[in-house]
Amino acid sequence: MKSEKRETKETKKRKAKNGKNFKLRRCAKFVWCLEFGHWLLEFIMYPTYLDLSETSEFSNRVEKTWQMLEKCELCGRKCRVNRLRDEKGICRSGKDILISSFNAHFGEEPPLSGFYGSGTIFLTNCNLHCVYCQNYPISQLENGNKYTFEEVAQMMISLQNRGCHNINFVTPTHFVPQILKSLEIAIKNGLQIPIVYNTGGYDSIETLRLLDGIVEIYLPDARYGDSKIAEKYSGCKNYVEINRSALKEMHRQVGDLICDQRGIARKGLIIRHLVLPGGLSGTREVMHFIAEEISPKTYISLMEQYFPAYRAYEFPLISRRINDEEYEEAKRIMRETGLEEGWWQER
């Protein structure tokens, strides 16, 4: 995403949330605030996975997700291949976790990138086959390497030590069991920053329920308002139904976005919506659903960064960038539905 984003009026008004309705570990410490140029007494909200890791429940969750690999139903496709035997379904992934890169990323939404970056870990492959994917070398061409759980855990600790505000798993759905095994090790080694689940939104409810109390920040796409269009351009059936069920479950777990005194995200839901040419993303349908069935206080990241990549030139309707009128229309729809929290990208 572009690093420059404009906050809506309501986002500026509500930038600091206190999170009093959530049971989170807290402690107070002084931190140097670059924005204000002085020391700030900050009440740190620690992730709920720390509590879960002190019980047998965390290990039980790891085991349950690992068992799901035997007849894989981690995502909405439900391929039911035996990935424990390294069989591969539509995501082309077997037993081993594949990672393309990890680094501090400063181009995410402002509460995620913050001052020191979001600790992104880009996972290889994807359960969607978007013909316009801008990260297609990673998602479709399998660019990445195998890593052990210990190595992935060390990535998380390294990103935390660099000052990153969170661990941001990009396209994590098909590797949830491997992520949880790695996370269990990282927690024992001192990890204590929020987990961001950065997904295309084609997630099964069963998988998401096993992440309850582990993921602090959900960052899903709501990519389409019409499943037929989703099937044509992302190769998946029933996207809208599966996506909407997933969004409801994510919000049930974490609620609306909560930020600390510095505006750094600590818990909650941010929904991304990529505006496609010719209204193909179904912005009106998506925004009405979010406002009416999720929460009118949902933070929306309205993205204008579409450009024809990968195989997009094979499809005339998406073989161009969006124009100013299309993005302004999407912004107008967002306002009309009462969704005032979030960000627009500068054109």
Side-chain angles (χ1 to χ4, degrees):
M1 295 186 65
K2 292 183 179 179
S3 59
E4 289 188 9
K5 299 181 180 64
R6 190 171 62 152
E7 298 175 335
T8 65
K9 180 187 289 187
E10 287 302 311
T11 299
K12 291 178 179 178
K13 289 181 180 178
R14 301 176 185 173
K15 194 164 185 178
K17 305 278 187 177
N18 60 21
K20 61 184 178 182
N21 294 324
F22 292 85
K23 295 180 180 179
L24 301 175
R25 295 187 182 196
R26 295 169 181 246
C27 76
K29 69 176 183 179
F30 282 98
V31 295
W32 179 257
C33 184
L34 294 175
E35 183 177 3
F36 303 118
H38 58 70
W39 291 96
L40 179 71
L41 180 63
E42 180 177 31
F43 290 90
I44 303 297
M45 299 184 295
Y46 285 103
T48 51
Y49 64 66
L50 294 177
D51 290 324
L52 201 63
S53 68
E54 294 177 353
T55 71
S56 60
E57 179 62 19
F58 195 101
S59 296
N60 291 340
R61 301 271 190 95
V62 174
E63 183 60 29
K64 287 178 181 177
T65 58
W66 201 252
Q67 290 172 358
M68 291 175 72
L69 290 176
E70 189 171 2
K71 293 182 179 179
C72 189
E73 296 186 347
L74 290 174
C75 78
R77 294 191 182 275
K78 299 185 182 297
C79 294
R80 296 184 175 88
V81 298
N82 189 343
R83 290 175 57 188
L84 294 178
R85 294 182 179 176
D86 226 27
E87 295 176 5
K88 297 177 182 179
I90 293 175
C91 72
R92 304 179 303 278
S93 303
K95 184 177 180 179
D96 296 314
I97 189 168
L98 304 173
I99 294 174
S100 173
S101 64
F102 71 101
N103 214 331
H105 187 37
F106 294 88
E108 301 287 61
E109 286 73 11
L112 298 177
S113 294
F115 305 107
Y116 307 114
S118 177
T120 50
I121 298 178
F122 283 86
L123 295 132
T124 302
N125 296 331
C126 183
N127 62 332
L128 297 178
H129 287 178
C130 301
V131 297
Y132 52 83
C133 182
Q134 296 170 9
N135 288 327
Y136 71 92
I138 301 172
S139 66
Q140 307 303 319
L141 304 184
E142 303 186 53
N143 286 2
N145 299 294
K146 294 180 182 180
Y147 289 91
T148 66
F149 304 134
E150 290 77 13
E151 288 172 330
V152 179
Q154 185 52 45
M155 289 180 191
M156 298 185 223
I157 296 299
S158 173
L159 291 168
Q160 177 175 268
N161 290 343
R162 290 179 61 175
C164 292
H165 302 290
N166 49 67
I167 300 298
N168 185 345
F169 287 104
V170 183
T171 319
T173 307
H174 53 299
F175 284 129
V176 165
Q178 295 88 339
I179 288 171
L180 292 189
K181 276 185 172 287
S182 303
L183 180 59
E184 189 173 33
I185 297 170
I187 293 170
K188 292 176 181 177
N189 292 339
L191 188 72
Q192 55 181 12
I193 55 178
I195 300 299
V196 178
Y197 190 85
N198 186 341
T199 170
Y202 199 58
D203 301 88
S204 77
I205 295 299
E206 294 78 11
T207 300
L208 292 175
R209 286 174 180 163
L210 291 172
L211 297 174
D212 192 1
I214 296 175
V215 171
E216 299 290 327
I217 301 166
Y218 280 106
L219 183 61
D221 290 327
R223 193 161 294 187
Y224 300 101
D226 185 324
S227 287
K228 291 182 180 179
I229 293 174
E231 187 170 2
K232 179 175 182 178
Y233 294 110
S234 292
C236 56
K237 295 182 178 181
N238 303 317
Y239 178 88
V240 172
E241 177 185 352
I242 291 169
N243 178 249
R244 292 183 177 183
S245 295
L247 296 180
K248 287 181 177 180
E249 174 62 19
M250 292 174 188
H251 187 264
R252 182 195 69 79
Q253 292 182 22
V254 300
D256 296 327
L257 184 66
I258 295 173
C259 296
D260 63 20
Q261 293 94 323
R262 297 180 296 163
I264 304 301
R266 302 302 300 183
K267 190 180 184 78
L269 174 67
I270 299 172
I271 298 178
R272 287 175 168 173
H273 181 68
L274 177 66
V275 180
L276 295 175
L280 291 173
S281 48
T283 301
R284 186 176 300 280
E285 293 81 3
V286 170
M287 295 302 159
H288 274 284
F289 166 75
I290 294 171
E292 295 169 9
E293 299 192 43
I294 301 295
S295 168
K297 296 181 180 179
T298 301
Y299 279 66
I300 304 296
S301 182
L302 191 67
M303 302 189 296
E304 62 81 41
Q305 66 199 44
Y306 176 82
F307 64 88
Y310 191 37
R311 296 174 51 214
Y313 285 106
E314 299 174 21
F315 301 83
L317 294 181
I318 61 170
S319 63
R320 63 171 177 85
R321 291 179 177 269
I322 67 169
N323 55 44
D324 291 343
E325 290 75 17
E326 288 170 323
Y327 192 59
E328 287 301 317
E329 172 68 5
K331 288 163 65 175
R332 185 181 65 79
I333 292 170
M334 181 177 163
R335 289 191 297 262
E336 282 182 356
T337 54
L339 294 167
E340 298 181 320
E341 302 281 17
W343 307 271
W344 302 326
Q345 292 181 314
E346 299 293 345
R347 287 184 62 78

